[in-house]
Amino acid sequence: MTLRFLLVASALILGATLTISLADRTAQCKIKWLFGISCSDVQGRLVGQIKAWQIRQSCLYAGERCSYELVSTAPYLIKATHTSPTTRKVNNLQFLLEQSTICKVTGDAVSEFSKDPADNSTNYCSLQNLMDGSDLIDAEGYKQFSNKWICPGFDAANCTMS
């Protein structure tokens, strides 16, 4: 009886801890991409696209495909932000590149002021719009890996609308 009580109590404590940690979590998304081209080419194309979509007057007609800002770039690391022209929410973006026989890229997006884990797919679209705009989705060996658990909205996002 005592062992059973300890197991139930442990499960309840673990469940409460997980619920609290999920409640404190900010909205975020993680995606992995693979490319059959060099990481320097991938980095150049991403940085070029971020610069091309910086804040400008045409944001009214570009939807969410504008208002990017390059924060920093270093070999194998890109940091940027995307500010939604409609909601003014800011997504912090990071691309970590790893060169081996292929180029592996890990993209992370985190909403600054949103605790809504779904965040209407904006984190996913902030990353994916850059891949689309830079034509990296057509690059040799392109593959994308994520799921709705590490990137809420991944399975239902419509980034062409945003």
Side-chain angles (χ1 to χ4, degrees), residues 84-95:
S84 170
T86 54
T87 66
R88 306 306 300 160
K89 286 186 179 181
V90 177
N91 300 93
N92 293 310
L93 312 176
Q94 178 173 292
F95 296 91

Side-chain angles (χ1 to χ4, degrees), residues 1-33:
M1 180 80 165
T2 304
L3 180 60
R4 186 174 185 188
F5 173 77
L6 286 174
L7 288 173
V8 170
S10 297
L12 289 173
I13 291 170
L14 179 62
T17 304
L18 288 174
T19 303
I20 291 168
S21 68
L22 288 175
D24 291 339
R25 189 177 81 174
T26 57
Q28 59 188 15
C29 172
K30 182 176 281 223
I31 306 172
K32 283 249 192 224
W33 293 278

Side-chain angles (χ1 to χ4, degrees), residues 50-153:
I50 292 166
K51 288 179 178 180
W53 282 350
Q54 286 181 354
I55 298 171
R56 58 181 187 267
Q57 292 178 349
S58 65
C59 270
L60 294 175
Y61 308 105
E64 295 290 325
R65 294 178 182 216
C66 68
S67 295
Y68 283 85
E69 183 178 336
L70 185 63
V71 173
S72 66
T73 183
Y76 302 108
L77 180 64
I78 302 167
K79 290 186 178 185
T81 60
H82 176 250
T83 304
S84 170
T86 54
T87 66
R88 306 306 300 160
K89 286 186 179 181
V90 177
N91 300 93
N92 293 310
L93 312 176
Q94 178 173 292
F95 296 91
L96 183 61
L97 297 86
E98 179 187 341
Q99 185 70 59
S100 60
T101 56
I102 58 172
C103 179
K104 301 174 193 173
V105 179
T106 303
D108 290 295
V110 179
S111 296
E112 280 187 353
F113 298 109
S114 176
K115 291 194 180 246
D116 177 9
D119 202 30
N120 296 324
S121 307
T122 56
N123 283 314
Y124 171 73
C125 289
S126 291
L127 295 167
Q128 189 58 38
N129 282 340
L130 289 172
M131 289 293 166
D132 291 340
S134 63
D135 291 326
L136 282 166
I137 61 170
D138 297 322
E140 179 183 333
Y142 171 84
K143 290 190 178 18
Q144 179 188 69
F145 301 94
S146 194
N147 62 49
K148 65 183 180 180
W149 306 111
I150 59 173
C151 186

